[in-house]
Amino acid sequence: MRTTDLFTIDGKPILVPDGNLAFSEEDVETLDSGADENGLYHRFVLRRNVPSWDFSYSRLSREEYAYMEGLFGQKDTFTFAFESPYNGVRQEITAYRSKHSILWHCAADGQFRDYRFRITAC
């Protein structure tokens, strides 16, 4: 089991992710945002450039899956540490896991495929 301190959850390293780690930023708008009767869109932005990271793992053993799920547990939020993609400076933020999925490839052998999750800043 190979871990990396490049990304940590509550101070614990995650497993080394597969290549092409996706980083994105998105504005969060109020529910009042939307188009009016003339079709003009009006944005009411609550927060700008909220970062998120999409992690993916093509194959995991039962032990590796248990390790990763143990990092998240039943936590609503956690401390996520990472190196900034802009300047390499290490940062810590409060974040949550907004989405996750896995394919249970072989129940008998405890093999999992396509484990994916998104970490989003609070």
Side-chain angles (χ1 to χ4, degrees):
M1 200 167 41
R2 279 186 43 221
T3 60
T4 177
D5 287 324
L6 186 59
F7 301 101
T8 62
I9 296 171
D10 288 335
K12 296 178 183 170
I14 69 167
L15 294 177
V16 175
D18 292 345
N20 296 325
L21 174 69
F23 170 76
S24 62
E25 293 179 327
E26 184 175 6
D27 294 344
V28 177
E29 300 178 1
T30 69
L31 294 176
D32 294 333
S33 294
D36 63 17
E37 306 82 34
N38 297 320
L40 296 174
Y41 191 82
H42 301 276
R43 291 184 75 206
F44 301 101
V45 179
L46 289 173
R47 293 177 56 207
R48 294 190 186 280
N49 303 322
V50 177
S52 65
W53 295 258
D54 291 318
F55 291 86
S56 65
Y57 299 81
S58 57
R59 296 173 177 225
L60 289 178
S61 67
R62 178 177 283 131
E63 294 77 22
E64 290 169 327
Y65 180 49
Y67 175 81
M68 290 300 294
E69 287 299 297
L71 294 177
F72 297 109
Q74 297 299 318
K75 303 171 192 172
D76 291 329
T77 64
F78 49 83
T79 300
F80 179 61
F82 61 96
E83 286 188 17
S84 168
Y86 304 117
N87 57 19
V89 174
R90 188 147 182 90
Q91 299 177 19
E92 282 189 359
I93 61 170
T94 301
Y96 64 99
R97 183 171 66 169
S98 57
K99 173 178 158 178
H100 68 282
S101 64
I102 194 161
L103 173 64
W104 195 350
H105 179 69
C106 182
D109 294 341
Q111 294 296 312
F112 297 90
R113 302 283 191 269
D114 299 326
Y115 180 50
R116 300 174 190 276
F117 60 88
R118 174 175 291 154
I119 292 179
T120 303
C122 289

